[in-house]
Amino acid sequence: MQCFRRQPKRSVSQENILREQSRRVAALNGMRLGLKDDKDLKFLLKGCQLLKVKSSSWRKERFYKLQEDCKTIWQESKKMLRSPESQIFSIEDIRDVRSGHKTEGMEKYAKDVPEYRCFSIIFKDQRKNLDLIASSEDDANHWISGLAKIIAHSNSMNQKQKLQHWIHTCLRKADKNKDNKMSLKELKDFLKEVNIEVDDYHAKKIFQHCDKSKTEALEDDEIEEFYKILTERKEIDKIFQKYSDTEGFMSCQNLVRFLYETQQEEDAVVAAPALIQRYEPNERAKRGNAMTKDGFLMYLLSDDGNIFNPSHRKVYQDMTQPLSHYFVSSSHNTYLMEDQLTGPSSTEAYIRALTKGCRCVELDCWDGPNSEPIIYHGYTLTSKILFSDVIKAIKNYAFKTSPYPVIISLENHCSVDQQKVMAQHMTTILQDMLLVAPVDGNKSQFPSPEQLKGKILVKGKKLSRQEDPTGTNGNNNLEAEDVSDEDEAAEIEDETVKTEIQQKGKSDTLKLAKELSDTVVYCKSVHFNGFEDPSHPRAFYEMSSFTESKALKLAQESGASFIHHNIRHLSRIYPAGWRTDSSNYNPIDLWNVGCQIVALNFQTAGTEMDVYQGRFQDNGFSGYVLKPEFLRDEQTKFNPKSTTEGTWGTKKKLLLKIISGQQLPKVNKSKNSIVDPKVTIEIHGVQQDNNKKQTKVIENNGFNPKWDEEFTFDIEIPALALVRFVVEDFDMSTKNDFIGQYTLPFTSLKQGYRHIHLLTKNGDPYSSSTLFVYIDIQDCD
């Protein structure tokens, strides 16, 4: 039997003091968020009972409240021996708050409750949605509006405010007896909380320096002094001193010099006054058109001091070229949340992919009960979802992240009757969004992403004797005919799947309904029979799908032909059948030969997905990135295997200094576990450019590790190169633990002193984890 230590009972006066302190802390944090005296915030801080919905038979009342840090939600749990940490979730982990019946759970299990009382919390990682029912419309509105405000205001805080908020939250956590003072033991606990190991001598030295009152406890101004020592950035002070005057101000003229000489900013004269107005907190300095050290730090931590070029955060590329001239963010088996054999299928997977910028989603369609087509991974035990529900999700989320076209890649296994139902659902649900006729009578080449804005295209089989997609004459009275059945699900390397296929006696052909055929305009699926004979060119709208192994073989053996093929035609690549765990292949080699629709499993985190999202954060996260000119030119002689024969842009030398890290997260949540960080810099591109270098390991310091190490990389083809920064917790005996990463195109790098804002394993930003680096890019002779 497990024994629990009884906590000493507090007196009523102690309880009242603690309650008042808690109220003051909450008010202070609310003010930091810019939500002073906000009614919704006050309601959330008070908390209320909500019904948690899990299934048709599981609907239970639980108490939820916003904690005083205004960053975390506490949820009541009836589970025995549940740890306090598991009853808390962070607002930083929330991706979205949806009102009404906007999740699968709410659609299935809460239809009997009015929409105005229902809301759902959607998390950033693979965590299940939290479906909740409030007792009244007012309560639901308080939660929906309150959470939305906190998320918006937290996102708009600058890095310094986030750091201050975080440190004060950690200080509060370390203050075990809640007396608003910090003993030496509490200070040491706090340092472990923020991921830094300090020996007893140094901890005592810091403590004694701050303890001006000699009371053996830090309070008020002494805690602020400790905070200043902790957050000191000597490496930035050194840069600032070089350009500042004796009074500690950097004049606008000196800021121009810094921006021009060090940061390589061409518009330094225009940028400097704007940066002072935007980031300088000192009004006197601002009036004098100068910058203090605080303002300088805020600039370096901001978007303007980011390693990623801020001008690439919006669409800046030419969007009027044919669709085949762009890399397109694409998902494989989009409906799957986990593996390829037994995992759940969900409309939520489509929503997640589309909000991550995906522009090509896949639907595996099979006959379902009640004449309603379903989507799942055929021959496997993955769960099933309605085709109509997926089309509704695509309609609602297709253009929330990007206005550019979405391609629905149909893998059709349905009977003629259910194909007609599919066509009807797409027509009635998508309405004007669905492209059903050529744009501006374009019959010789693809229209551009600009011309297709707000449109949804269908990729699928087309009746051969029917009029072709671009409107030339044919037999338009044909109702249905046999077409080849390219069954990707049948390629799965799994014994159970193979047995299932043998028992069903799979056919190589499929009868195709005219109604479904009519939805295909520019993306007609055809079997690949080799690269075209110039004397008998294939129609531009005919496109083929390749397994990764077939595509890589073509890239290796016929790279030049593949590049020419991809100038005029679309190519879709998908993972090999043996990847039943939903792992991913490296997309780089396929991009290097101009393949556009390189489909990955979006649900699986890892290097491949990091590189993928790194490529597509370019051009405003629009899901379309213009291919380099040498992958679009009909006369190109580019070959990624032999880059010496020709001019493919100026070769570059990348000089990179990893200076320091800030607030790296704890990998192991154990109180005494401190990370030992090391940084690896990877170049992903053509074979000659692929490279990897790493820093030394810094022991026991995830709070402010210092490396000061320089690296050099030669880049042959800058237009195809990506740079990935990976931070790991070094472990001598086991595999290193992932801490964070950031990947971006080489062409999006900013020069000078820059911060890298690290991303989690799932690609979401940490609130204040950064690397500080220096970048210099030179032309090679």
Side-chain angles (χ1 to χ4, degrees):
M1 181 177 169
Q2 187 169 353
C3 295
F4 294 92
R5 185 181 292 172
R6 187 181 293 277
Q7 293 295 319
K9 196 174 179 186
R10 295 190 184 102
S11 67
V12 174
S13 62
Q14 284 176 318
E15 287 290 347
N16 287 338
I17 289 167
L18 283 173
R19 203 172 287 119
E20 178 56 26
Q21 284 178 353
S22 179
R23 190 195 63 76
R24 282 208 311 269
V25 169
L28 179 64
N29 285 323
M31 199 161 66
R32 282 195 183 117
L33 282 168
L35 294 172
K36 186 183 177 185
D37 297 329
D38 183 84
K39 286 180 184 176
D40 293 324
L41 186 71
K42 283 182 177 177
F43 181 88
L44 267 57
L45 286 163
K46 189 178 173 187
C48 74
Q49 297 284 350
L50 296 168
L51 276 177
K52 183 177 179 180
V53 181
K54 279 190 176 179
S55 70
S56 52
S57 59
W58 201 104
R59 190 186 284 185
K60 296 184 181 177
E61 201 169 67
R62 296 286 184 263
F63 188 79
Y64 290 82
K65 89 178 277 294
L66 178 68
Q67 300 213 112
E68 63 194 26
D69 60 6
C70 296
K71 287 176 68 177
T72 50
I73 305 278
W74 182 83
Q75 53 186 337
E76 177 190 12
S77 174
K78 303 288 185 185
K79 286 182 184 174
M80 285 293 289
L81 307 181
R82 189 168 179 180
S83 68
E85 289 79 14
S86 66
Q87 290 182 253
I88 292 166
F89 62 86
S90 171
I91 285 176
E92 280 177 15
D93 295 335
I94 298 174
R95 184 181 300 284
D96 193 15
V97 182
R98 295 184 202 151
S99 60
H101 304 144
K102 300 274 175 56
T103 63
E104 281 177 313
M106 283 302 200
E107 278 279 339
K108 284 181 189 172
Y109 312 128
K111 277 292 191 182
D112 59 315
V113 181
E115 283 210 67
Y116 57 73
R117 283 176 50 205
C118 300
F119 67 98
S120 302
I121 292 173
I122 317 300
F123 294 101
K124 288 178 180 173
D125 50 26
Q126 302 296 329
R127 217 179 320 181
K128 287 180 180 173
N129 300 337
L130 182 57
D131 293 324
L132 299 164
I133 299 171
S135 58
S136 69
E137 183 178 4
D138 280 351
D139 283 7
N141 286 339
H142 278 308
W143 277 100
I144 296 162
S145 177
L147 288 173
K149 284 179 196 172
I150 296 168
I151 292 166
H153 284 259
S154 296
N155 289 342
S156 64
M157 287 169 86
N158 62 48
Q159 285 295 119
K160 196 169 180 190
Q161 288 169 323
K162 285 180 185 174
L163 173 61
Q164 193 176 27
H165 194 174
W166 177 67
I167 284 182
H168 280 279
T169 301
C170 292
L171 284 167
R172 181 96 180 138
K173 203 170 172 183
D175 182 13
K176 297 291 186 225
N177 61 1
K178 306 299 177 199
D179 63 354
N180 282 338
K181 296 177 184 177
M182 187 180 282
S183 66
L184 177 58
K185 184 181 181 308
E186 286 174 334
L187 179 135
K188 287 198 280 196
D189 285 346
F190 165 79
L191 290 171
K192 283 178 182 170
E193 186 68 39
V194 299
N195 212 359
I196 183 169
E197 181 76 67
V198 177
D199 61 41
D200 287 353
Y201 172 77
H202 281 99
K204 196 168 183 181
K205 199 172 172 186
I206 295 169
F207 186 84
Q208 288 172 341
H209 173 82
C210 298
D211 185 19
K212 309 289 186 196
S213 59
K214 307 296 180 198
T215 57
E216 297 295 313
L218 306 185
E219 51 188 312
D220 301 331
D221 292 346
E222 293 170 341
I223 290 176
E224 285 301 316
E225 175 70 15
F226 170 65
Y227 167 81
K228 280 180 185 169
I229 290 170
L230 198 65
T231 56
E232 199 172 29
R233 296 283 303 272
K234 288 181 181 174
E235 71 275 36
I236 287 178
D237 294 351
K238 195 173 167 186
I239 303 162
F240 182 78
Q241 283 164 10
K242 186 179 171 185
Y243 290 90
S244 62
D245 60 26
T246 51
E247 290 182 27
F249 289 102
M250 184 188 288
S251 68
C252 186
Q253 190 177 353
N254 280 347
L255 179 58
V256 168
R257 197 159 60 85
F258 169 74
L259 293 174
Y260 187 74
E261 293 173 356
T262 307
Q263 305 295 81
Q264 303 290 305
E265 300 283 10
E266 292 175 5
D267 60 347
V269 175
V270 176
L275 292 176
I276 290 168
Q277 292 305 309
R278 201 173 300 146
Y279 301 115
E280 179 50 56
N282 183 307
E283 287 302 323
R284 182 184 150 215
K286 202 186 273 191
R287 283 194 301 273
N289 208 16
M291 203 173 242
T292 62
K293 192 163 64 179
D294 280 349
F296 187 62
L297 174 60
M298 284 172 75
Y299 148 65
L300 285 174
L301 282 166
S302 75
D303 219 31
D304 288 298
N306 199 309
I307 192 170
F308 185 81
N309 190 333
S311 68
H312 291 190
R313 290 198 192 283
K314 47 185 187 291
V315 174
Y316 69 96
Q317 294 176 345
D318 178 7
M319 301 301 282
T320 63
Q321 299 210 22
L323 206 61
S324 56
H325 286 192
Y326 298 84
F327 297 128
V328 184
S329 179
S330 308
S331 158
H332 170 248
N333 287 356
T334 314
Y335 47 89
L336 292 178
M337 299 286 280
E338 294 170 14
D339 66 79
Q340 306 281 313
L341 297 175
T342 60
S345 304
S346 172
T347 55
E348 198 60 48
Y350 286 90
I351 295 169
R352 287 183 182 183
L354 290 166
T355 51
K356 281 186 173 182
C358 179
R359 298 290 85 193
C360 179
V361 294
E362 187 177 0
L363 284 68
D364 280 6
C365 310
W366 299 79
D367 279 359
N370 306 316
S371 300
E372 281 293 338
I374 54 172
I375 288 174
Y376 83 111
H377 205 193
Y379 319 112
T380 72
L381 299 175
T382 57
S383 63
K384 302 169 175 68
I385 50 178
L386 287 174
F387 177 83
S388 59
D389 286 345
V390 170
I391 298 300
K392 285 173 193 168
I394 292 171
K395 179 192 177 180
N396 292 334
Y397 288 88
F399 305 111
K400 285 195 181 250
T401 300
S402 165
Y404 293 102
V406 167
I407 300 169
I408 291 176
S409 180
L410 287 183
E411 191 172 317
N412 168 30
H413 306 276
C414 292
S415 62
V416 169
D417 286 345
Q418 292 213 14
Q419 288 177 41
K420 290 176 181 177
V421 176
M422 287 166 60
Q424 185 182 8
H425 281 321
M426 287 194 285
T427 307
T428 55
I429 294 168
L430 299 177
Q431 298 179 329
D432 290 347
M433 286 182 179
L434 185 67
L435 188 80
V436 291
V439 176
D440 299 335
N442 199 335
K443 299 176 185 178
S444 58
Q445 65 174 15
F446 281 108
S448 69
E450 190 64 35
Q451 288 173 296
L452 293 167
K453 260 185 177 176
K455 289 294 181 186
I456 294 172
L457 285 68
V458 176
K459 172 200 154 298
K461 291 289 179 181
K462 191 83 179 162
L463 294 176
S464 60
R465 295 199 302 276
Q466 185 195 7
E467 63 177 348
D468 76 44
T470 58
T472 53
N473 291 327
N475 179 1
N476 204 24
N477 299 315
L478 197 67
E479 286 303 313
E481 71 168 16
D482 287 340
V483 293
S484 64
D485 181 14
E486 293 168 20
D487 188 354
E488 291 173 19
E491 297 173 18
I492 294 177
E493 293 181 20
D494 179 79
E495 288 308 314
T496 312
V497 170
K498 287 176 181 174
T499 305
E500 179 84 3
I501 293 166
Q502 283 170 356
Q503 287 172 351
K504 288 192 174 178
K506 187 181 146 346
S507 168
D508 289 335
T509 61
L510 175 86
K511 202 165 276 298
L512 180 66
K514 177 182 180 296
E515 289 84 349
L516 190 60
S517 176
D518 284 345
T519 65
V520 177
V521 179
Y522 284 117
C523 302
K524 177 184 175 182
S525 295
V526 298
H527 183 70
F528 181 74
N529 292 313
F531 295 115
E532 68 187 23
D533 177 353
S535 59
H536 296 91
R538 270 169 54 179
F540 74 90
Y541 51 78
E542 292 185 346
M543 64 175 289
S544 301
S545 292
F546 307 86
T547 183
E548 63 176 273
S549 49
K550 174 73 180 288
L552 286 167
K553 190 169 187 286
L554 288 171
Q556 284 292 320
E557 296 175 1
S558 314
S561 298
F562 213 171
I563 287 168
H564 279 273
H565 173 84
N566 288 326
I567 291 170
R568 197 159 170 266
H569 298 91
L570 289 172
S571 290
R572 175 178 164 271
I573 321 298
Y574 59 94
W578 58 264
R579 295 187 183 274
T580 55
D581 59 350
S582 294
S583 60
N584 281 313
Y585 57 94
N586 185 349
I588 295 285
D589 291 334
L590 287 317
W591 286 332
N592 289 349
V593 290
C595 295
Q596 304 88 347
I597 300 176
V598 181
L600 295 197
N601 292 304
F602 267 51
Q603 72 272 33
T604 306
T607 304
E608 296 82 10
M609 203 62 213
D610 294 343
V611 167
Y612 204 83
Q613 291 298 77
R615 166 68 71 207
F616 286 106
Q617 71 163 315
D618 194 8
N619 201 32
F621 201 52
S622 64
Y624 285 86
V625 171
L626 187 64
K627 295 196 281 190
E629 195 273 337
F630 53 78
L631 291 179
R632 295 179 274 122
D633 178 12
E634 297 274 5
Q635 308 305 315
T636 188
K637 290 186 168 54
F638 178 71
N639 183 348
K641 287 177 70 179
S642 177
T643 56
T644 51
E645 300 167 20
T647 305
W648 322 116
T650 309
K651 295 176 188 177
K652 303 286 183 182
K653 187 179 284 290
L654 172 62
L655 305 170
L656 177 62
K657 185 176 186 182
I658 305 290
I659 302 170
S660 60
Q662 294 75 40
Q663 292 86 60
L664 303 179
K666 292 183 82 156
V667 177
N668 185 333
K669 296 300 178 188
S670 149
K671 179 179 154 186
N672 293 315
S673 172
I674 311 293
V675 301
D676 304 321
K678 70 162 192 168
V679 182
T680 303
I681 307 105
E682 302 168 356
I683 307 295
H684 297 262
V686 295
Q687 199 170 344
Q688 297 92 314
D689 289 344
N690 292 338
N691 206 339
K692 183 191 287 191
K693 297 180 182 181
Q694 56 192 38
T695 66
K696 60 180 178 282
V697 176
I698 304 292
E699 292 187 358
N700 291 326
N701 188 350
F703 184 73
N704 54 5
K706 306 273 192 304
W707 287 279
D708 280 324
E709 290 187 63
E710 295 182 359
F711 303 92
T712 305
F713 297 91
D714 290 323
I715 312 291
E716 291 267 333
I717 313 289
L720 290 174
L722 291 111
V723 187
R724 182 171 183 253
F725 298 86
V726 194
V727 187
E728 293 176 307
D729 180 14
F730 177 75
D731 195 309
M732 187 128 7
S733 55
T734 61
K735 188 182 174 194
N736 295 338
D737 287 319
F738 175 90
I739 292 176
Q741 70 84 32
Y742 189 78
T743 309
L744 74 165
F746 179 86
T747 51
S748 294
L749 281 170
K750 289 290 281 182
Q751 298 191 66
Y753 290 101
R754 302 287 169 181
H755 277 97
I756 298 170
H757 295 259
L758 295 172
L759 304 177
T760 66
K761 193 176 184 179
N762 291 308
D764 297 305
Y766 284 115
S767 63
S768 51
S769 299
T770 52
L771 292 178
F772 187 51
V773 300
Y774 177 76
I775 306 276
D776 184 29
I777 298 170
Q778 298 172 0
D779 292 346
C780 287
D781 297 332

